[in-house]
Amino acid sequence: MSMPKSWSLAAVVFLAASALHASCGSSSCPLDLNALNAPVAGQLGFDLSFQYINQNRPMIGTRGAFVGEIPTDHNEVRTTNRIATATLAYAVSRDLQLSASVPWISRSHLHLVGTTPETWDLNAIGDVVLQSRYRLIANRHATAGGLWAIAGVKLPTGAHDLRNADGELAEVTLQPGSGTTDGIVGLSWQSGTRAVTAISGSMGNVAVIPFFATATYQVRRGDVNGYRMGNELQVSSGLAYPVARNVTGLMQINGRVRAHDRIVRGEPDPDTLFTGGNYVYASPGVRVDTHGVGVYALVQIPLYQHVNELQLTSRANVVVGVQHRFR
């Protein structure tokens, strides 16, 4: 039985994630945003999202800490990230989808050198991500269901040499771009299950609830002045549940394992010890579809965070966006 158009739209909400560069300790959230715009065969989709991440909570390992608890040559106080990302996706066929994501990053940072504050306000285009998804095995239980192979590349298009008003070069982890070309590989399984809901459709009160499980791995190569960010594994799963006509509840569980950054040439940098970690988040949200446009919002809540040494984290992250598929 084919699904009504509204359920077909809901079913594509959770396709495979576009791997976002850097860690929540520096730039972005492990959320499945590109999937919100997954088109069906022959269609073009557009998604515009905005992330807000206020990192003002120092942590050591899994516990809260205070600024400067592990002394270094500078003590991190706050990093505020505002990221707007435009994603264009095209389904060449039922089994091949292509996408391109372009982020604009606005980042404010404050740290202390002794008792002297140093600040940066960085605004620039970030690194473009190109991605392809090919369906290896079809599954009839959900639109675009089955096993998908993911392959992509993150290009070094973002600025990585920005300075503050005093001419001080920002750290690599603060720059809008990483300065490296990274490979992205992964797998995604998507399916659906029927469940009773509070609204009626062509199947009565029964609707298809789409769900997914995705894993992507980002391999970083190259460096900026000998500094290379760590490789990263992201694992996500989630579902979409209709709560009213044209209103869908969203839920994801997101995990990230980020390796230490490294110095691959030049003098060792002790700051690399203060990078990397393991993270698990719950990401509830809602999506409203009206007049061919989907509007969504999610809040990402940390369930578990284990950082190396002392790092800044956020108490919650917010993501909002709009999506449209051109017919």
Side-chain angles (χ1 to χ4, degrees):
M1 180 182 297
S2 62
M3 290 184 294
K5 187 179 297 184
S6 60
W7 299 130
S8 296
L9 184 60
V12 300
V13 166
F14 288 104
L15 300 182
S18 142
L20 300 172
H21 75 280
S23 72
C24 252
S26 60
S27 122
S28 60
C29 303
L31 269 173
D32 190 344
L33 295 179
N34 191 34
L36 290 165
N37 190 34
V40 297
Q43 286 189 341
L44 188 68
F46 177 75
D47 181 275
L48 180 63
S49 67
F50 175 78
Q51 299 183 49
Y52 179 79
I53 308 164
N54 186 23
Q55 298 165 248
N56 58 5
R57 183 192 182 200
M59 290 187 68
I60 296 174
T62 58
R63 68 173 177 85
F66 58 84
V67 173
E69 186 170 346
I70 299 179
T72 64
D73 59 352
H74 63 274
N75 296 314
E76 311 289 351
V77 178
R78 182 182 66 252
T79 302
T80 303
N81 304 279
R82 296 162 293 269
I83 307 169
T85 303
T87 298
L88 197 64
Y90 179 70
V92 179
S93 69
R94 293 179 57 194
D95 300 322
L96 178 62
Q97 297 177 355
L98 306 174
S99 67
S101 298
V102 182
W104 174 267
I105 297 174
S106 176
R107 179 171 295 129
S108 303
H109 176 71
L110 166 65
H111 69 220
L112 300 175
V113 178
T115 58
T116 303
E118 291 186 341
T119 62
W120 284 261
D121 290 297
L122 309 176
N123 299 276
I125 290 177
D127 290 340
V128 171
V129 175
L130 304 178
Q131 192 174 99
S132 65
R133 298 175 356 95
Y134 181 75
R135 180 157 52 178
L136 302 173
I137 301 173
N139 181 307
R140 64 182 177 84
H141 294 294
T143 300
L147 180 66
W148 293 80
I150 303 167
V153 60
K154 182 194 69 61
L155 302 175
T157 55
H160 55 272
D161 58 357
L162 299 185
R163 299 173 181 269
N164 65 8
D166 296 323
E168 292 288 334
L169 184 68
E171 302 165 35
V172 174
T173 53
L174 292 175
Q175 297 284 354
S178 69
T180 63
T181 300
D182 304 340
I184 301 166
V185 295
L187 290 172
S188 179
W189 173 255
Q190 292 130 49
S191 188
T193 185
R194 294 184 181 183
V196 176
T197 69
I199 59 176
S200 297
S202 63
M203 297 185 293
N205 286 346
V206 176
V208 174
I209 310 301
F211 61 85
F212 80 98
T214 298
T216 58
Y217 190 71
Q218 185 167 349
V219 182
R220 304 183 191 274
R221 290 291 178 263
D223 61 86
V224 174
N225 299 323
Y227 192 103
R228 178 186 296 169
M229 292 185 179
N231 294 346
E232 183 174 303
L233 171 69
Q234 290 189 20
V235 179
S236 294
S237 64
L239 55 81
Y241 186 86
V243 294
R245 195 165 298 279
N246 299 326
V247 179
T248 304
L250 309 177
M251 184 64 196
Q252 293 190 34
I253 299 295
N254 313 102
R256 161 183 277 144
V257 178
R258 167 77 183 276
H260 275 295
D261 297 350
R262 294 187 295 140
I263 301 299
V264 295
R265 54 188 175 86
E267 294 295 322
D269 185 350
D271 285 350
T272 58
L273 300 176
F274 293 74
T275 62
N278 304 322
Y279 310 84
V280 179
Y281 302 91
S283 305
V286 65
R287 173 188 172 96
V288 178
D289 294 287
T290 178
H291 303 295
V293 176
V295 180
Y296 60 89
L298 301 101
V299 177
Q300 188 165 75
I301 303 166
L303 301 178
Y304 174 82
Q305 297 183 101
H306 186 285
V307 302
N308 297 319
E309 299 296 337
L310 173 63
Q311 296 184 46
L312 295 176
T313 64
S314 60
R315 290 172 171 80
N317 309 317
V318 177
V319 180
V320 297
V322 294
Q323 175 263 325
H324 178 67
R325 289 195 297 167
F326 299 92
R327 304 190 183 281

